[in-house]
Every structure is written in C-alpha cells, then in structure tokens.
Amino acid sequence: MIVDEDEKNEEKNEKLLADLCECCLLLREGKFSELLSICVCCLLKVALNKEENEEAQKEREMALLALNNTGLIKIKKEIFLNEIKEIIEYRQSHLNLSRLAYQSAWQFLIFRFYNDISLEGVIVNELHFVGEATRELEELTRILYWKKKKGELRDKETIEEKIIKRWIQTLDYYFNKSKLQNEELTGLISSIVKVLRASRIINRIFCVWSISLLKGAAETEAVKINYLLKGGAVDAILEEIQQYTLEDYRMLYHLQFLRRILTILNKKKKNEMEEEERKATKIMIIKRMEEEGYADIIPSFHEIFVIIYYYYYGDISLDISDYFLFV
C-alpha cells in the first residue's frame, strides 16, 4: 500500500501515506526493507509542517516518534540531514514541539551519528547539541523535583522520567562516538550529576544509568577528566559511595567509575601540554579525594572486595592499589 500510494503521480493521498508510514515504522521493530527511505522522507515532510493548529501538532509529534523507531539503521544523510536540521532549528526558535517530540528528533539524528561520524560538526557546532541536552535535562529534573514537592509523583512512571531515560540513552550513543571537546561539556556533566543526585527521590534506577553514562564518557574519552571533575562527577561518586553497603549493587558501578578515572590519569601523555594537564588534574583529584575521606572509604571495602566481585560478577579489581593515584 505504501509503494502504491507513493508511486501515484496524481491524487496522492498524503495523509494516508503518512499514516501507513507511521504504522510501518512503529510496528516493524527495526526490521525494515526498501520501504525505509519512503517512510523517512514522508514523515520528515510531515514533521516539517509549520501550521499552528492541533491537528498539525499531533501529526508532527507522531511522525517524530515513528522516525525515532528506526534505531541505528543506516540511512543516507542526503535523505534526512537538511530536513532534521530544519526541524530542530525551528523548534529552538518557535517551541513548536513537545519535549518528547524534540527529544525524538535529536535521538533520530544521534542514532545516525553513531554510524556516520561526519555528522559531528553539524550536531555540535551548528545545532549545539551539548547545550540543548544540558538545558533539557536540567529543566526536566527541576520539574520532577517540583512534582515531588507538591506530592504529584506516583508509582506510575511520569512522562518526564520517560524523557530523561531517553536522553540518557541518546547521550550514551553520543559519548560512544564523540571526539570534539570544549568547556560546554562541564555543564552537561553537571546536569547528569543532578539527575544522579535526584535519583534518590525520583527514580533509583537513574543512579545506575547516570553512573554508566559517566563511566562510558570517561572510557571513550569523549569527555576529559578535568571536565568530569569540574562538572562534579567525582564529588558525586565519592558522596554516593559512602551511602552503600555490600547489598547495594550500585556500589559496584561507582567503584568501576573510580578505577576507570584512575587508569586514564596514570597514562602519561606524549604531548607536553596534555601531560601537564594530566598532572594538574591528578593533583586536583587527589586533593578532592583527601577532603572527602577517600583514603578511608576504599580501604573500608578491602576485606569484602572478593565477595563483591563474585556476588555481582563485575569487572572490579581485587588489588587495592588500583584505586589510588600516584603523581
């Protein structure tokens, strides 16, 4: 039906075609064929509609949610790039999309970036992804705090929680491929830390996801260690780890994060400026860890490290020296 409707020269039913394309993308669960290019082009056209009425709004939202269901499937950038840029830029100026639809537009683009690193310049420099993700996460976290204060949070997951989860997933893919570094990342790390701290009140699973996200950013070196430090990631980990016992599996993620940070900082750099920066960052972290009682925290787990390792089957070093810094 999609092919038949798309090939019509006259009297093409655009509404029917869009509905069929939405059904195709939403129901096929990532298993697509030659219909993909037709569906993407059709739904981007719908999402580009700038009419200001309830029907057009609903159609834009549904089109972007359906497009997001393409996952990591490769799509030629000639098919989508100009259109998705226009959709994102127009929303930044006119606020014509809900937070969920806006996040869907970004996720569609970041999924494309995962397979095509040439998109990074557009994503970072033209569309300002880091700043937008920072702002969205901070606003969503504030809304959830306000709802909690007003007693509006229930056992059922809120729309804001769903969107935060999707942003965390999007950022995970972004950090996996990103190479561009700038001070703006400090703000993004700070916003992730706010989600981490808010997890005590809002949703405990956010804690694990946030730590995994920060650990991934460190592992791929998408974020410099000094940005992690300035953004409060190290402080948050040291603060959180003191709350846990052997039974709390989240402790494992925190220890893995610390070990990864220390491993990176113990690798000497060939570039003289980078080596000086590495040493300075190590000194700052040593000072911070001494202030937070780090020397007491990690040894306190020493006797139970073997139990932790086998209990959670985690990638955690049994050598206590792996958790200390040497300048």
Side-chain angles (χ1 to χ4, degrees):
M1 290 176 69
I2 289 172
V3 172
D4 289 345
E5 198 62 40
D6 184 63
E7 289 180 347
K8 287 181 181 179
N9 293 321
E10 297 179 2
E11 299 181 358
K12 184 183 295 186
N13 188 333
E14 298 284 358
K15 180 66 171 64
L16 173 61
L17 179 59
D19 289 343
L20 292 171
C21 288
E22 285 175 8
C23 289
C24 178
L25 295 190
L26 289 170
L27 299 177
R28 297 206 62 185
E29 297 181 354
K31 299 176 182 178
F32 303 109
S33 60
E34 70 280 354
L35 294 177
L36 183 62
S37 60
I38 299 175
C39 291
V40 170
C41 290
C42 172
L43 296 180
L44 284 172
K45 183 178 179 181
V46 173
L48 276 167
N49 181 6
K50 297 180 177 63
E51 291 180 36
E52 295 185 8
N53 58 65
E54 188 175 342
E55 185 63 26
Q57 177 74 13
K58 187 184 296 185
E59 289 174 356
R60 284 193 294 268
E61 303 275 321
M62 284 303 300
L64 288 168
L65 288 172
L67 281 168
N68 192 51
N69 211 46
T70 54
L72 296 175
I73 295 174
K74 291 183 179 180
I75 303 171
K76 292 180 180 179
K77 60 184 174 185
E78 294 79 11
I79 293 176
F80 69 85
L81 185 54
N82 290 335
E83 289 79 4
I84 201 70
K85 276 178 60 180
E86 185 176 344
I87 290 166
I88 290 172
E89 288 174 336
Y90 192 82
R91 197 276 184 180
Q92 290 171 348
S93 301
H94 297 80
L95 303 178
N96 68 320
L97 297 173
S98 68
R99 293 186 187 280
L100 180 58
Y102 186 49
Q103 194 283 329
S104 295
W106 270 118
Q107 188 156 307
F108 173 83
L109 182 54
I110 298 300
F111 281 169
R112 310 286 77 79
F113 169 54
Y114 188 79
N115 290 310
D116 184 355
I117 59 173
S118 70
L119 294 171
E120 185 164 26
V122 172
I123 291 169
V124 176
N125 299 325
E126 295 184 38
L127 298 176
H128 312 291
F129 172 71
V130 174
E132 289 295 298
T134 300
R135 182 181 54 75
E136 288 291 310
L137 277 178
E138 293 202 348
E139 290 184 5
L140 286 163
T141 306
R142 278 198 296 270
I143 290 170
L144 283 171
Y145 266 130
W146 179 84
K147 285 190 173 184
K148 179 65 178 178
K149 188 175 180 180
K150 293 288 185 180
E152 293 183 17
L153 284 179
R154 301 290 183 267
D155 291 337
K156 187 177 179 180
E157 194 173 56
T158 66
I159 184 63
E160 290 83 9
E161 287 175 280
K162 293 179 189 291
I163 302 172
I164 287 176
K165 284 182 180 180
R166 288 162 62 100
W167 272 114
I168 291 173
Q169 180 190 34
T170 303
L171 286 165
D172 188 44
Y173 284 107
Y174 174 74
F175 286 147
N176 196 276
K177 294 295 181 180
S178 174
K179 300 298 178 186
L180 294 179
Q181 300 271 350
N182 59 57
E183 282 285 346
E184 202 175 21
L185 285 166
T186 300
L188 180 55
I189 295 302
S190 178
S191 69
I192 296 169
V193 167
K194 287 176 183 176
V195 174
L196 169 61
R197 287 184 167 135
S199 67
R200 298 174 189 168
I201 299 172
I202 298 168
N203 189 330
R204 283 170 60 87
I205 196 63
F206 285 174
C207 177
V208 173
W209 290 354
S210 300
I211 291 297
S212 296
L213 183 59
L214 293 169
K215 184 165 73 75
E219 286 174 344
T220 61
E221 298 191 44
V223 180
K224 291 182 179 180
I225 302 301
N226 64 334
Y227 294 158
L228 289 167
L229 180 62
K230 292 177 183 177
V234 175
D235 284 344
I237 299 305
L238 293 172
E239 174 187 311
E240 289 284 317
I241 205 170
Q242 297 180 68
Q243 313 295 321
Y244 303 142
T245 63
L246 174 61
E247 289 74 27
D248 199 323
Y249 70 94
R250 290 179 295 174
M251 179 179 65
L252 176 64
Y253 291 88
H254 291 67
L255 290 173
Q256 287 174 330
F257 173 82
L258 286 176
R259 186 188 177 204
R260 183 57 190 162
I261 293 292
L262 307 188
T263 300
I264 293 171
L265 285 175
N266 278 324
K267 291 181 180 178
K268 292 185 177 181
K269 302 288 186 180
K270 293 181 180 180
N271 181 287
E272 189 174 330
M273 287 184 64
E274 290 181 351
E275 176 63 11
E276 289 300 314
E277 182 179 313
R278 179 188 72 88
K279 287 182 177 180
T281 303
K282 288 180 70 173
I283 291 170
M284 282 193 292
I285 289 185
I286 288 172
K287 183 178 179 181
R288 192 67 54 85
M289 290 181 171
E290 287 175 347
E291 291 172 354
E292 295 293 329
Y294 172 78
D296 298 324
I297 297 168
I298 299 301
S300 71
F301 289 120
H302 182 50
E303 295 301 321
I304 60 172
F305 265 17
V306 174
I307 301 172
I308 298 170
Y309 181 85
Y310 288 108
Y311 191 79
Y312 295 113
Y313 302 98
D315 178 22
I316 181 171
S317 173
L318 303 182
D319 186 351
I320 197 73
S321 66
D322 284 350
Y323 298 90
F324 290 94
L325 287 167
F326 302 94
V327 179

